[in-house]
Structure formats: structure tokens, C-alpha cells
Amino acid sequence: MPKRPCAIAFTPDEATIICGDKFGDVYALPLLCSDGNKEHLSHIETDKAGQKSHAAEDPFVPSATLRTVHTQRNQETLKHQQNQKSKKSVKNTISFERGLLFGHVSLLTDLICVPVPRSTTTNLQDRTYIISADRDEHIRVSRGMPQAHIIEGFCLGHTQFISRLCIPHWNPQLLISGGGDDYLLIWDWLSSRILHKVDLRKLIVDYFEYQYSVRSDQEQEPTVAIEGVQWNGPIAVSDIFAFEVKTVSGGLQKQVALACEGVRGIFFFNFSEDGTMIHAGTTTTAAAITALSLSSDHNCIAYAIGSNEGITSQLDSVGEGESPKGTSIGILEYDTMKGSWEKNGSLMSTINNALGIIPTDMDEQGRLYGSESFLHSLETLRKRGQDENHLT
């Protein structure tokens, strides 16, 4: 891709990939190469091979010489250039079909492609829409291909960056959005209307204080104070999933799972028919969540947790016989009888042992928020000068 991809989605027929990049542009890419495209690719590869062989034959000769360069720093640079054996590598050309659909004037953060039935009484095909979000608090609703350049509307209600969009499969006209704000928004996105707002700050603060009070009671120590003030850290939604689980009576309960960057827990909500979300419970994790995934049958949630040390250890070389520390994989399974998500310890151990991972334990201070700094933090999307009163 010309720019770094940041969000992908499939069209309803699963034949085309919709890809957005950090520059704000959205492209359409074929999932499989056509015969004509394969022939085009073969010509490109032949041309690139010829260019590389030609470049290898011609030695690199810098235009500067010791007579024209006088400072010590420039002379060292010239020596490095003279030691180069060949010219710089030829710039790679785009070797696949792609079509520009539309673009944002800001950094694109997420997108989804959703089909909406036109009518249940007619045989008309579903109309497809592309919903995209950016750093400038905008949610854009565009028509699907080939009319993606036509804007159907905007959903405006956020005051900070938007990091995640989610469409519940049971009602494609609903949209859940979250990002750097203290709340989630539930939309009727076809009419750009807000149906419900979920207060995340109060939820996280209550969870934060409850976990400390429980731990203090168990250790027979006074409740841990956080610098003498109420917790006031920044919020950045990292994952949102909507799904249905079976109940004891045999029915289906609509639920939403949510993870926030730096928060050691997964929040679950029951989703009502009127578009409201009620907090159903929170599962505590041993460290901050770095990734969250839902199984196809909606009965299992896998999550990755780790600290900054654990993440950076993956970039460094790990010696033979050593295991990466500070990261681990967690598994949650839905218990129909209890009506809650429970950890599957045996499966977690099996997976971590197979991957050679040493699980992460809660640190000595029992911190539940924000002790880890991530390599690619969502907080970098927050504009400078905003929310400076938040603790970091």
C-alpha cells in the first residue's frame, strides 16, 4: 500500500477488501487476482527485475568529492556514500489493482461495510454503506461501491478521536462508537441520531475503587489511596464486540464486550431493544489488554495481556530456551447457568505452554490502570493541549 493501512473490512459478497490508510484515503482491493490482473502483475515483476539488475550493474558514484566537502561531518557522510556498492534500490510500484473510493481530511481510524435491507416486502437487493471514522471526531456515512463518493450523512457527537466502530448483527441500523471520550454512543446512523450514551468514566472509576477496596479487605489494610484524589486518567476505547449468548431459558441475550487501553478488565453490557446498554459485569485481567477477539460461535473470548516490558520483549531477540515474559493469553467462556463469563484456566495454561509464554501476574502494588505504556498507544491520537488535567 502507498501508506500504512490502519483499517480493513470486507464487502458483503466477500470479494472485495475495503482498506483505509493513515493518510485518510479508502481503497477497494480485490480479494483474489483476476486473470487480466495476473498478466499485468507478471509484466510488472519482469520490469522490476530488469530495473534491479540494471541498478546492480551500475556502481554508485556520489557527485561530491573531497575537494568540494570540507567539514569533518560531511566527509564522513561522503565516505559512507563511496562505500555503497550500487545505486539505491528502485522504488517499488504498486503491483495490484486498487481503486480510490473516498478520503478523509484527517487520520482515518476505523471503518466498516454494512448491508441494510431496503424492504422486507420487496425483492430489491440490500443497499450497502461504508461507515468510517477519523481523528477529528467525525463518523462519515457513505454509499457502497460504486457510489462510495456520495455522502449520506455524518454522525456528530464525539468531542475526541474515534477509535472503534461496531454494528450489531441483529440490527444493522444501530452503531456503537467509542474513542477518547468518557462515553460510548449508540446511534441510529441512517438518521444520524443518538439513541443512548453510556458513561464509561463512572463505570471505570467504580470498578477501579471496588477492586482496591476488595484487595485491601483481603490484606487487612486500609483502602489504597491514589495520590489522595479520585482516579482521573484518560479513556481510550480499544475494542468493541456485539454478540448474542444463550440464556438458561433457551433464549438469546444481546451483549456487548468492551476493552479500554490500559484498563485491566473487560466490561460486559446487556443490550436492550430500545438501544440502551446496561452494565452486566466486569472480568478482571492480570494486566492491561492489548488485543481482544471473539469466537465465531460467540461462546469464547480470547484476549492478550501484557506490560510494556512484555511487548518490547517481542521485538528483541529471545535467547534459545528462553520464553517471552510479561505477556500471556487469556480465555473466557460463557457459563449459561451462571449467566456470566468465566475464565478457563486449563485452556489458558495449555495455550500459553504451547506458545512458550510465561503468564503475567499482578504486580506488587496491584495497579489496575495505566502503568503500562504501549508502543502504538491510542492516546497518541488525542490532540495536544486537550485533557491535560488527566493523570498519565
Side-chain angles (χ1 to χ4, degrees):
M1 296 293 293
K3 302 293 182 180
R4 174 179 154 196
C6 61
I8 60 173
F10 283 97
T11 54
D13 59 4
E14 298 184 350
T16 304
I17 302 173
I18 308 298
C19 179
D21 62 25
K22 288 292 185 181
F23 203 68
D25 294 330
V26 178
Y27 295 91
L29 316 171
L31 179 62
L32 301 176
C33 294
S34 61
D35 294 336
N37 191 35
K38 289 180 180 178
E39 183 179 354
H40 173 66
L41 295 182
S42 63
H43 289 307
I44 291 179
E45 294 298 329
T46 303
D47 294 340
K48 288 169 63 178
Q51 292 176 2
K52 289 182 180 180
S53 61
H54 180 71
E57 294 174 358
D58 298 334
F60 176 71
V61 179
S63 58
T65 64
L66 291 175
R67 294 183 179 181
T68 58
V69 176
H70 304 288
T71 64
Q72 182 178 0
R73 182 176 180 180
N74 290 341
Q75 288 178 355
E76 292 178 355
T77 303
L78 178 59
K79 290 180 180 179
H80 288 295
Q81 293 178 351
Q82 291 174 340
N83 291 332
Q84 294 182 8
K85 296 182 180 179
S86 61
K87 292 182 178 180
K88 295 182 179 179
S89 59
V90 180
K91 184 178 180 180
N92 293 330
T93 58
I94 298 174
S95 57
F96 51 85
E97 294 179 6
R98 67 184 181 97
L100 179 63
L101 300 181
F102 60 87
H104 284 242
V105 295
S106 178
L107 190 151
L108 191 141
T109 54
D110 199 11
L111 64 85
I112 48 180
C113 188
V114 54
V116 177
R118 295 193 181 185
S119 174
T120 57
T121 60
T122 63
N123 295 325
L124 295 176
Q125 294 183 349
D126 297 346
R127 171 168 287 180
T128 303
Y129 295 87
I130 300 175
I131 306 176
S132 52
D134 61 29
R135 185 188 181 190
D136 286 344
E137 310 97 36
H138 300 143
I139 299 177
R140 167 176 166 165
V141 180
S142 308
R143 290 188 183 180
M145 298 170 54
Q147 297 179 320
H149 60 282
I150 300 178
I151 302 176
E152 289 287 339
F154 285 92
C155 296
L156 304 178
H158 286 277
T159 60
Q160 294 288 348
F161 65 89
I162 303 166
S163 55
R164 289 296 179 268
L165 302 175
C166 177
I167 296 285
H169 67 274
W170 59 80
N171 190 346
Q173 296 187 21
L174 295 179
L175 170 68
I176 307 172
S177 61
D181 287 305
D182 292 349
Y183 50 82
L184 288 179
L185 291 180
I186 294 92
W187 303 82
D188 178 355
W189 57 269
L190 283 173
S191 60
S192 302
R193 184 166 55 95
I194 298 176
L195 300 178
H196 186 58
K197 180 184 289 188
V198 180
D199 189 350
L200 291 181
R201 178 161 297 280
K202 183 178 185 305
L203 178 66
I204 295 177
V205 168
D206 291 345
Y207 162 72
F208 188 74
E209 294 179 348
Y210 170 76
Q211 289 296 330
Y212 267 111
S213 63
V214 170
R215 192 167 298 123
S216 298
D217 292 341
Q218 292 175 350
E219 297 174 357
Q220 297 182 353
E221 295 178 359
T223 302
V224 178
I226 310 168
E227 298 185 6
V229 297
Q230 188 182 42
W231 176 84
N232 195 32
I235 293 176
V237 176
S238 57
D239 283 295
I240 305 175
F241 288 99
F243 49 88
E244 292 178 313
V245 292
K246 293 182 180 180
T247 62
V248 179
S249 60
L252 293 175
Q253 173 64 56
K254 301 176 177 63
Q255 284 198 340
V256 173
L258 170 76
C260 293
E261 187 175 79
V263 178
R264 301 184 175 189
I266 304 174
F267 300 92
F268 294 96
F269 301 85
N270 289 334
F271 202 96
S272 303
E273 295 295 338
D274 59 354
T276 59
M277 289 170 51
I278 302 174
H279 182 228
T282 303
T283 298
T284 304
T285 57
I289 296 175
T290 58
L292 194 67
S293 181
L294 180 69
S295 65
S296 58
D297 59 2
H298 299 173
N299 288 327
C300 182
I301 292 178
Y303 59 91
I305 58 177
S307 62
N308 182 54
E309 296 177 358
I311 298 173
T312 54
S313 68
Q314 307 303 315
L315 303 179
D316 300 330
S317 58
V318 179
E320 184 177 357
E322 297 181 0
S323 300
K325 299 180 179 180
T327 61
S328 61
I329 305 297
I331 301 294
L332 297 179
E333 288 186 331
Y334 188 74
D335 190 324
T336 305
M337 300 302 297
K338 294 182 179 180
S340 61
W341 291 86
E342 304 293 335
K343 294 181 180 179
N344 188 327
S346 60
L347 184 56
M348 291 168 56
S349 300
T350 302
I351 294 176
N352 288 308
N353 291 335
L355 297 176
I357 295 176
I358 300 176
T360 300
D361 296 323
M362 187 73 76
D363 57 21
E364 294 179 358
Q365 297 179 358
R367 293 170 295 180
L368 293 169
Y369 180 87
S371 59
E372 301 87 354
S373 59
F374 296 95
L375 296 178
H376 300 287
S377 170
L378 292 174
E379 274 300 315
T380 58
L381 296 175
R382 197 180 301 275
K383 296 176 182 178
R384 296 180 180 179
Q386 297 184 358
D387 290 348
E388 291 182 351
N389 60 319
H390 285 164
L391 298 177
T392 55

